[in-house]
């Protein structure tokens, strides 16, 4: 679903998978889907938790940087 750009359905599927068993990979992909749906605050919560667990640090840090810039871009003129 994620690769078909069905981000809402994909996020729901990843969330359901995590209810069955905690899975950082599913959590990561849920966060990515939420980010792509512009649900920035929800995505940030997920990425922050993954950052604490040091899971897929490069990807997680990349999305946390993107979120920071989206939230703060009005403060800076590039």
């Amino acid at each position: 679903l994620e690769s078909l750009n069905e981000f809402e359905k994909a996020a729901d599927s990843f969330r359901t998978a995590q209810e069955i068993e905690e899975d950082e990979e599913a959590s990561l992909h849920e966060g990515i889907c939420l980010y792509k749906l512009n649900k920035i605050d929800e995505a940030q919560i997920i990425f922050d938790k993954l950052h604490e667990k040091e899971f897929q640090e490069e990807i997680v840090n990349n999305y946390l940087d993107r979120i920071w810039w989206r939230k703060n871009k009005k403060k800076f003129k590039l």
Side-chain angles (χ1 to χ4, degrees):
L1 293 170
E2 183 181 4
S3 63
L4 296 172
N5 294 331
E6 296 284 339
F7 300 120
E8 193 72 49
K9 291 179 184 177
D12 289 341
S13 294
F14 291 127
R15 195 172 303 115
T16 301
Q18 293 172 78
E19 290 172 3
I20 296 168
E21 183 177 337
E22 185 177 338
D23 182 352
E24 284 87 6
E25 192 71 34
S27 183
L28 173 67
H29 286 280
E30 179 188 1
I32 292 169
C33 289
L34 292 171
Y35 176 85
K36 291 182 178 182
L37 289 166
N38 273 332
K39 297 181 179 182
I40 302 301
D41 292 331
E42 293 175 50
Q44 184 173 6
I45 291 168
I46 291 170
F47 291 128
D48 284 339
K49 288 179 183 176
L50 291 171
H51 186 270
E52 289 173 10
K53 294 179 180 183
E54 297 180 357
F55 180 79
Q56 295 283 351
E57 290 183 69
E58 188 173 332
I59 295 169
V60 170
N61 288 338
N62 181 287
Y63 276 98
L64 286 171
D65 287 345
R66 291 180 189 192
I67 289 169
W68 187 90
W69 278 106
R70 278 184 137 179
K71 288 183 172 186
N72 293 287
K73 67 182 174 186
K74 292 179 182 177
K75 294 179 186 177
F76 301 96
K77 290 190 175 189
L78 299 176

